[in-house]
Amino acid sequence: MELWELAARESIRQTLADYTAATDGFDLAALALCFTQDGTLEYTGGGGALVGRDHIESGLRAQLSGASPGPKPTYVRHHVSSIRVFGLEPDKAEASSYFVVFTDVGVDHWGRYRDVLHPVRTRWLIASRKIKVDGFAADSLMNNA
């Protein structure tokens, strides 16, 4: 493995960690900065992709402030695991990982991320993230959020 590959893999892992920290802190501006300028965020079965940083931030803000009835979580903690970087080239990489999300109810929901990343200056950023939620707890605070 060449030195640039090690640096790319570490940058990719840092971007995934930054996304997770931003999500848990409800910092949607920081979350959007984990994407390329024209990056896409898509929920499998979720009715379309959010395209571009501004749309990602505003779309997620609209989802979080939606009029879903019931209690809202007071905290969210994503645990991301089994990060696998593959297809690494100087201008593109793919990554896959699993997540489980904890809220006030304990395990709230879980699923998978599938990412395509591109280098932008000194960082690798998400060009495309597809989120597949595999399941929700019966008392999930984030189902329909």
Side-chain angles (χ1 to χ4, degrees), residues 31-50:
L31 181 149
L33 289 175
C34 294
F35 288 82
T36 60
Q37 195 64 38
D38 60 349
T40 62
L41 176 62
E42 181 178 0
Y43 295 91
T44 303
L50 300 172

Side-chain angles (χ1 to χ4, degrees), residues 60-72:
L60 292 175
R61 191 169 311 287
Q63 286 177 2
L64 289 174
S65 65
S68 77
K72 304 284 187 228

Side-chain angles (χ1 to χ4, degrees), residues 45-78:
L50 300 172
V51 180
R53 287 179 180 161
D54 292 341
H55 194 210
I56 289 168
E57 182 178 350
S58 65
L60 292 175
R61 191 169 311 287
Q63 286 177 2
L64 289 174
S65 65
S68 77
K72 304 284 187 228
T74 61
Y75 71 90
V76 176
R77 300 292 180 265
H78 286 70

Side-chain angles (χ1 to χ4, degrees), residues 88-141:
L88 181 59
E89 299 291 335
D91 63 345
K92 180 182 174 184
E94 294 182 53
S96 64
S97 55
Y98 298 98
F99 66 86
V100 62
V101 179
F102 294 85
T103 65
D104 306 67
V105 301
V107 173
D108 192 282
H109 61 285
W110 54 93
R112 301 170 275 170
Y113 296 132
R114 298 298 180 261
D115 302 317
V116 176
L117 298 101
H118 292 224
V120 178
R121 290 182 289 287
T122 61
R123 290 185 67 189
W124 281 74
L125 299 176
I126 302 167
S128 169
R129 168 162 273 192
K130 293 184 179 178
I131 301 173
K132 168 71 169 101
V133 176
D134 293 328
F136 286 94
D139 55 351
S140 169
L141 299 178

